[in-house]
Amino acid sequence: MREDAGAGRRVLLSGWGRTAPTAARLARPRDLAELAELVARAPERGVIARGLGRSYGDAAQCAGGLVLDCADLDPGFRVDAAAGTVTASAGTSLDTLLRELVPRGWFPPVVPGTRHVTVGGAIAADIHGKNHHADSSFGAHLRSYTVVTGTGEVRTLRPGDGAPFWAGVGGMGLTGVITEAVVALRPVETAWMRVDTDRTPDLDATLDLMARTDGDYHHTVAWVDLLAAGARTGRSVVTRGHHAVRDDLPVRARRDPLRFAPRVLGAAPGWAPPGLLNRWTVRAFNTAWYARAPQRRRDEITPASGFFHPLDAVRGWNRLYGPRGLVQYQFAVPFGAEPVLRRVVERLSAARAASFLAVLKRFGPGTPGPLSFPQPGWTLALDLPAELSGLPVLLDTFDRWVADAGGRVYLAKDSRMHPELPARMYPRLDEWRAVRAEVDPAGVFRSDLARRLDLVGGGGSR
Amino acid sequence: MRNALGAVRSVLVLGGRSEIGLAIAERLVRDGARAVALAVRGGRAPEAAARLREAGAAEVHELEFDADAPASHAAVLARAAGLLGDLDVVVAAFGHLGDQAALEADPVAAAASAHTNLTGHVSAGLAAAARLREQGHGVLVVLSSMAGVRVRRANFVYGAAKAGLDGFAQGLDDALYGSGARVMIVRPGYVRTKMSAHVPAAPFAATPRQVADAVADGLRLGWRYVWVPSVLRSVAAVFRVLPRSVWRRLRR
């Protein structure tokens, strides 16, 4: 039987965590008309857009349905220097944006822990960065975005449009396929950061340092050693910085201050044995990382790529977790819920769970997106091997603490939450569902995440 | 949908009165499954359904299923999908142990037993696989047996059917490669159930609950084969190379 050329070929897809793969047809529309046509003729099991596959779980999968890769759409790349904005197609990666924008003296308003996400994904997950406390999330810097709705209509939405605009910001692609966006930029003088680094002995000291000094820095983040126990529980390396100005740079770098040249050290091997990252190897790594960091260093001038995206230096690092993959757990709790944060860190430390790269950050005000993750308070993100025994119970316990404290789990990271939880964690879920029902009355936009968590209503069974 | 840690939303048990099948469903419900369908001869399994509701299942459906009527199997799968939506896990648990001596004396009864244990699984397995392939995900859990690893004198009618089933399930899994669906083959040794009560227990006997726990581990870690208890993997390796003259003399 001949396959419909436009409907794509069947492939197995999983998220960055490489857990729970499912099969779908993958199509790469070449232009907007083809994209709208694919949406209009969506298969019964639904359609979802996929960018670079950096969501950890199943947000960009649609088992038995259609997955759209928008990388072939016209990049439509335009910088408007007067307005301080960039127009880019949804499939444009932040890596491309940085390489294009930084030499021209502009920086994306928000960059997450990797450059390898797309503009479309950045909107759909309403991503945040180390500057959230100062600048909020990606959605706050959108002038507009264009979307193909469930009826195949092409709409350009602006913040002034209210609910339909915000439903897509953090909407995990379930309100339509984003095709293009206009994003406000930050002018920069250099491609460098001026960074202060401090080592803190325990969690209290970490929280205290961040709470006291967050306001003084544009970007802050803490890396927490979750394997340190006893009096050292929660010891961290806190880095805080600003975009460096030209005069900050050493003389040599001043000649070409906007040179943006991220280093790639190499790629992780294609296969790693199960259990490679265990409590001993990770503890050794964490200890070395902590020991290597200076006790206190001021005004270090460092390339922006290394400051924002240290992990991008190793391509495919997720493969180090072996064939069973990894689970990332990221939650946010409001200020005042520090005891929950402390209990989570203590429990992980006591369980000696092999987590490296736990990232702690303070959130500022969020956006009006009903499903947008950031809310004022603390957020902690950690990676765990999926094969870890006792993991389901451990994370279910954390979910309960987080939900009880008025907090939430990040949908772009989730791969294992219970379906009762999103309604508690995102109290405006029904409001979002109502908007979705208007823009996608037939419910064509569906993902494995939506099915698993019953985000779109109807029992999540189909 | 199966989540990253192996928990699922829906479970279909073919042979819903099987103690092992039920124990697996119960364990999956305790791990978060909300909806279960029990496919049983006669279409009613109120005690099993009550047990699953007590374990926390929000919906339990009972439907008619006759393992010996292959022509009806596709329709049973369609009905189950109508009730549950996506079939996250299908447990093919039906089977017939019988009494070896009696089966040897009654060729017709022996053929009927093999029909249930092998032919029934072929049609039900293919029907289930078609559904899972279409939905792009799902696991078919096939209850094979240690008895099928190398067929023994003591239960060769049953063992031969299980050996056939095991081979069928392996081939089916290969056929499903890349489809998002897969087959998990469970190879328990002796399991203490009503079905096996008339047979003396073999070494390394397990309970239905131990089988269920092993299946849950297998779903979480993506195993292709589940040995219960796990030591049977090594025992099987020995069994396979024992000389015929020794093998023939095994009592059980």
Side-chain angles (χ1 to χ4, degrees):
Chain A
M1 202 173 70
R2 205 181 67 88
E3 282 183 8
D4 184 348
R9 66 202 165 82
R10 199 170 161 109
V11 295
L12 211 50
L13 296 170
S14 67
W16 190 242
R18 308 208 306 156
T19 51
T22 63
R25 295 199 167 277
L26 181 70
R28 292 173 68 121
R30 281 157 298 187
D31 55 44
L32 207 55
E34 203 174 297
L35 170 60
E37 173 73 13
L38 283 166
V39 170
R41 292 190 296 119
E44 197 199 340
R45 292 187 60 85
V47 52
I48 195 76
R50 180 180 176 97
L52 288 166
R54 253 43 173 211
S55 283
Y56 282 76
D58 44 10
Q61 299 167 220
C62 183
L66 178 67
V67 173
L68 298 174
D69 179 341
C70 295
D72 291 349
L73 293 185
D74 176 6
F77 185 85
R78 294 188 298 284
V79 178
D80 182 338
T85 60
V86 64
T87 305
S89 76
T92 311
S93 70
L94 290 202
D95 182 58
T96 302
L97 277 192
L98 283 159
R99 287 172 196 274
E100 292 287 338
L101 292 172
V102 174
R104 299 174 205 211
W106 297 102
F107 213 83
V110 170
V111 289
T114 172
R115 296 188 301 274
H116 303 291
V117 298
T118 63
V119 169
I123 298 169
D126 197 10
I127 59 165
H128 56 270
K130 296 176 172 52
N131 58 341
H132 189 278
H133 62 285
D135 294 337
S136 193
S137 52
F138 200 82
H141 304 273
L142 285 171
R143 292 283 189 265
S144 70
Y145 66 87
T146 305
V147 67
V148 176
T149 67
T151 52
E153 188 194 350
V154 180
R155 286 180 75 179
T156 297
L157 295 166
R158 294 178 179 76
D161 293 321
F165 175 89
W166 291 111
V169 176
M172 302 311 293
L174 296 165
T175 60
V177 181
I178 295 164
T179 61
E180 191 176 78
V182 181
V183 185
L185 300 171
R186 164 172 296 276
V188 289
E189 283 186 30
T190 75
W192 299 75
M193 302 297 292
R194 198 179 74 232
V195 180
D196 291 351
T197 302
D198 287 86
R199 241 165 39 174
T200 53
D202 56 34
L203 188 64
D204 283 335
T206 309
L207 298 184
D208 179 64
L209 179 68
M210 293 180 85
R212 272 192 297 110
T213 63
D214 241 12
D216 304 335
Y217 294 88
H218 191 187
H219 298 269
T220 66
V221 73
W223 173 85
V224 189
D225 178 2
L226 286 176
L227 277 167
R232 292 194 290 265
T233 302
R235 69 177 180 181
S236 305
V237 177
V238 181
T239 56
R240 297 160 294 167
H242 298 278
H243 289 282
V245 295
R246 196 165 175 278
D247 291 344
D248 292 335
L249 301 191
V251 178
R252 238 173 344 115
R254 275 185 218 176
R255 262 179 301 163
D256 189 6
L258 289 165
R259 193 177 117 84
F260 183 77
R263 271 198 311 169
V264 175
L265 299 174
W271 184 86
L276 175 68
L277 298 183
N278 54 53
R279 67 173 61 146
W280 294 281
T281 54
V282 174
R283 170 174 295 168
F285 176 88
N286 286 4
T287 303
W289 178 293
Y290 186 81
R292 196 176 139 265
Q295 183 67 44
R296 183 177 188 281
R297 182 166 58 196
R298 291 290 172 268
D299 296 325
E300 180 199 8
I301 303 298
T302 184
S305 58
F307 177 77
F308 287 109
H309 310 120
L311 270 181
D312 283 349
V314 182
R315 244 178 295 129
W317 60 263
N318 57 336
R319 293 196 296 257
L320 294 175
Y321 280 87
R324 282 163 201 152
L326 78 143
V327 168
Q328 172 149 118
Y329 189 67
Q330 181 169 6
F331 66 93
V333 288
F335 292 123
E338 286 80 3
V340 172
L341 193 61
R342 189 166 296 120
R343 264 193 293 164
V344 169
V345 170
E346 281 167 3
R347 177 68 71 89
L348 283 164
S349 166
R352 292 196 273 160
S355 168
F356 76 135
L357 305 164
V359 173
L360 177 69
K361 160 93 208 127
R362 277 165 59 96
F363 276 153
T367 61
L371 294 193
S372 172
F373 168 66
Q375 59 176 20
W378 297 93
T379 183
L380 183 70
L382 50 113
D383 294 335
L384 293 161
E387 63 197 329
L388 198 70
S389 74
L391 191 56
V393 174
L394 190 70
L395 296 183
D396 287 348
T397 306
F398 294 170
D399 281 348
R400 211 164 45 242
W401 293 347
V402 167
D404 289 347
R408 51 180 54 160
V409 166
Y410 194 1
L411 294 176
K413 305 281 180 84
D414 178 62
S415 61
R416 35 66 46 199
M417 188 168 26
H418 281 275
E420 298 78 27
L421 286 161
R424 289 188 62 203
M425 295 177 170
Y426 295 88
R428 293 166 63 211
L429 179 61
D430 279 336
E431 184 189 317
W432 176 83
R433 282 177 177 157
V435 179
R436 182 180 178 276
E438 275 171 40
V439 297
D440 182 17
V444 301
F445 297 114
R446 231 105 47 89
S447 63
D448 287 357
L449 174 84
R451 282 197 183 90
R452 183 170 54 77
L453 295 181
D454 191 17
L455 290 181
V456 295
S461 57
R462 283 169 186 84
Chain B
M1 300 302 311
R2 173 184 171 277
N3 79 11
L5 302 179
V8 295
R9 195 197 66 87
S10 66
V11 184
L12 165 65
V13 186
L14 298 170
R17 281 197 207 94
S18 145
E19 283 176 65
I20 298 176
L22 200 56
I24 293 171
E26 186 178 347
R27 168 68 203 256
L28 295 180
V29 165
R30 293 199 191 284
D31 286 353
R34 287 277 139 283
V36 183
L38 299 171
V40 293
R41 194 191 297 263
R44 296 279 296 141
E47 281 173 34
R51 192 173 132 193
L52 292 175
R53 284 199 190 90
E54 196 167 318
E59 3 165 336
V60 182
H61 307 277
E62 298 157 61
L63 62 155
E64 166 66 26
F65 170 66
D66 182 355
D68 295 336
S72 68
H73 289 176
V76 172
L77 265 296
R79 206 168 316 132
L83 293 166
L84 294 176
D86 280 10
L87 304 175
D88 296 347
V89 171
V90 178
V91 186
F94 58 90
H96 172 263
L97 180 57
D99 175 64
Q100 174 68 20
L103 291 175
E104 279 180 50
D106 183 349
V108 176
S113 174
H115 184 63
T116 305
N117 287 343
L118 177 56
T119 316
H121 275 277
V122 170
S123 55
L126 286 170
R131 276 274 148 192
L132 303 187
R133 179 189 288 279
E134 188 190 327
Q135 70 188 26
H137 71 104
V139 182
L140 172 63
V141 178
V142 173
L143 284 169
S144 176
S145 170
M146 188 69 177
V149 169
R150 187 174 177 185
V151 179
R152 301 196 298 278
R153 162 69 187 94
N155 62 2
F156 67 82
V157 173
Y158 177 78
K162 286 294 187 187
L165 170 58
D166 200 287
F168 167 76
Q170 293 182 46
L172 186 61
D173 188 37
D174 287 338
L176 285 172
Y177 186 79
S179 72
R182 55 191 194 84
V183 179
M184 193 165 86
I185 300 166
V186 187
R187 293 173 179 158
Y190 180 89
V191 183
R192 297 174 204 281
T193 63
K194 275 182 292 207
M195 184 174 95
S196 67
H198 64 281
V199 181
F204 307 117
T207 62
R209 189 148 172 193
Q210 283 171 306
V211 179
D213 291 344
V215 166
D217 285 346
L219 285 173
R220 186 161 77 80
L221 299 172
W223 293 343
R224 192 170 180 217
Y225 304 105
V226 179
W227 299 87
V228 198
S230 56
V231 66
L232 288 186
R233 176 195 296 271
S234 316
V235 175
V238 175
F239 273 16
R240 286 193 182 102
V241 296
L242 276 185
R244 191 94 211 182
S245 53
V246 177
W247 187 249
R248 191 184 305 127
R249 290 190 180 88
L250 279 189
R251 289 290 172 83
R252 291 187 294 216

